[in-house]
Amino acid sequence: MDCVSPILDVASHLWDCTAKRAAYLTDLQETLESLRNAIEELKNVAEDVKNKVDRAEEDREMRRTHEVDGWLHRVQVLENEVREILQKGDQEIQQKCLGTCCPKNCRSSYKIGKIASKKLGAVTELRSKGCFSDVADRLPRAAVDERPIEKTVGLDRMYAEVCRCIQDEQLGIIGLYGMGGAGKTTLMTKVNNEFFKTGNDFEVAIWVVVSRPASVGKVQEVIRNKLKIPDDIWRNRSEDEKAVEIFNVLKAKRFVMLLDDVWERLDLHKKLKKALRWSV
């Protein structure tokens, strides 16, 4: 009995291998049909995912996740591979010997059946991975919000001077003053759009329209929105507490704050004032 048992195990293993290989030939048509149905189901799932992605990306601040993008790409590649296998398999079945179920080319049919079986497993596995809780992520806000501006004339020299001052580490505040309509806001907009998008190492530029009467609370709210300070930290805080929170966020960043339309003294907070780069 000790000798018979190993022999039976080997024989059983050989039989399983032989039966599996034979199935690649005998079950070719059934395997192809299963593969055809599976790829159609996968395509339907992919279409649903793609529709969700398209709807999410209608919001310009949303972009598909790398996981979803990679999955959709793999679906497309697998779809092309399966299409080729199905075409070859259908041709192989049509070429069976007349009046029989035997393929003309057993080797070719065996090869196609083996590949089709493996692809069926790949399609099934990829379909199981097509359930996503989120298909898109919200993009981080740009360091600089580009502002509308008309073509400028005669501001190049002043623009270059302001840029030079900003790059001077010894200067913490830069003031632009003049009568209404002199071009202060236009110059600031040009600096915002051009300088802070290229060739500088500032992490964020914050634009605030102060107007009058000046309101510290409104200015703080604009800064908070740009810095994305959470509601639970911001809500029910005093102006002084909000100033400290803004300061704690900004002290770890290289930033610039552009204050437009300032008519009177605006005391944001002594701590915060020390961190300001420049104002208008």
Side-chain angles (χ1 to χ4, degrees):
M1 289 294 293
D2 292 341
C3 296
V4 173
S5 182
I7 293 174
L8 290 176
D9 289 341
V10 172
S12 176
H13 179 70
L14 291 173
W15 173 258
D16 289 342
C17 291
T18 303
K20 184 178 181 180
R21 291 183 177 182
Y24 292 148
L25 283 172
T26 59
D27 299 340
L28 176 59
Q29 187 165 356
E30 182 180 342
T31 302
L32 291 175
E33 191 60 30
S34 297
L35 181 58
R36 184 175 284 108
N37 292 334
I39 196 64
E40 284 301 318
E41 290 178 2
L42 177 60
K43 286 165 61 178
N44 289 337
V45 173
E47 189 63 30
D48 289 340
V49 172
K50 182 67 165 56
N51 289 337
K52 290 180 181 178
V53 169
D54 290 341
R55 287 195 296 272
E57 290 186 334
E58 286 178 0
D59 181 349
R60 293 187 178 183
E61 294 185 0
M62 300 291 290
R63 286 294 179 273
R64 68 188 67 189
T65 64
H66 293 302
E67 182 184 17
V68 167
D69 194 44
W71 184 83
L72 288 172
H73 177 71
R74 288 194 296 274
V75 169
Q76 187 61 56
V77 171
L78 190 55
E79 182 183 342
N80 294 335
E81 293 174 349
V82 168
R83 184 186 301 112
E84 185 177 350
I85 293 170
L86 291 175
Q87 289 175 349
K88 291 181 179 179
D90 291 340
Q91 292 174 1
E92 198 68 29
I93 291 174
Q94 292 173 3
Q95 292 175 3
K96 286 182 178 180
C97 295
L98 185 62
T100 72
C101 296
C102 300
K104 283 186 176 182
N105 189 331
C106 290
R107 183 177 180 181
S108 176
S109 294
Y110 167 81
K111 184 178 179 181
I112 292 173
K114 184 177 180 180
I115 295 174
S117 180
K118 288 184 176 181
K119 289 299 178 185
L120 178 58
V123 170
T124 302
E125 181 182 3
L126 193 57
R127 185 182 183 280
S128 69
K129 296 179 179 179
C131 298
F132 302 98
S133 55
D134 297 301
V135 298
D137 289 329
R138 187 164 295 279
L139 294 173
R141 291 193 64 174
V144 180
D145 294 324
E146 187 171 0
R147 302 179 64 84
I149 184 174
E150 296 181 359
K151 186 176 180 180
T152 60
V153 178
L155 290 179
D156 291 347
R157 195 169 113 184
M158 184 62 70
Y159 169 77
E161 178 64 17
V162 171
C163 292
R164 184 193 66 77
C165 291
I166 295 172
Q167 292 172 314
D168 188 341
E169 293 291 337
Q170 302 301 314
L171 297 179
I173 297 176
I174 302 170
L176 302 179
Y177 61 92
M179 296 178 58
K184 301 183 300 298
T185 299
T186 301
L187 177 57
M188 278 181 57
T189 303
K190 182 178 176 68
V191 171
N192 178 81
N193 291 357
E194 297 182 16
F195 177 78
F196 294 114
K197 281 198 170 184
T198 59
N200 69 86
D201 57 356
F202 289 98
E203 296 174 66
V204 61
I206 305 171
W207 182 291
V208 183
V209 178
V210 179
S211 298
R212 59 179 175 182
S215 168
V216 172
K218 289 181 180 179
V219 172
Q220 287 179 331
E221 192 64 30
V222 174
I223 298 171
R224 173 252 179 155
N225 288 334
K226 181 64 179 180
L227 299 178
K228 292 188 175 181
I229 298 175
D231 287 341
D232 57 341
I233 295 178
W234 192 258
R235 196 183 304 117
N236 300 324
R237 296 291 188 91
S238 67
E239 282 188 359
D240 186 67
E241 290 172 327
K242 290 177 179 178
V244 172
E245 185 60 39
I246 290 172
F247 170 74
N248 287 333
V249 175
L250 290 179
K251 70 180 182 180
K253 296 179 180 291
R254 281 188 56 81
F255 73 95
V256 63
M257 187 175 298
L258 301 95
L259 303 178
D260 187 27
D261 200 22
V262 178
W263 291 80
E264 57 193 79
R265 179 179 175 80
L266 181 67
D267 190 0
L268 294 176
H269 194 279
K270 290 182 179 179
K271 289 183 179 179
L272 183 57
K273 286 197 296 181
K274 292 178 182 178
L276 296 180
R277 273 295 287 166
W278 66 286
S279 60
V280 175

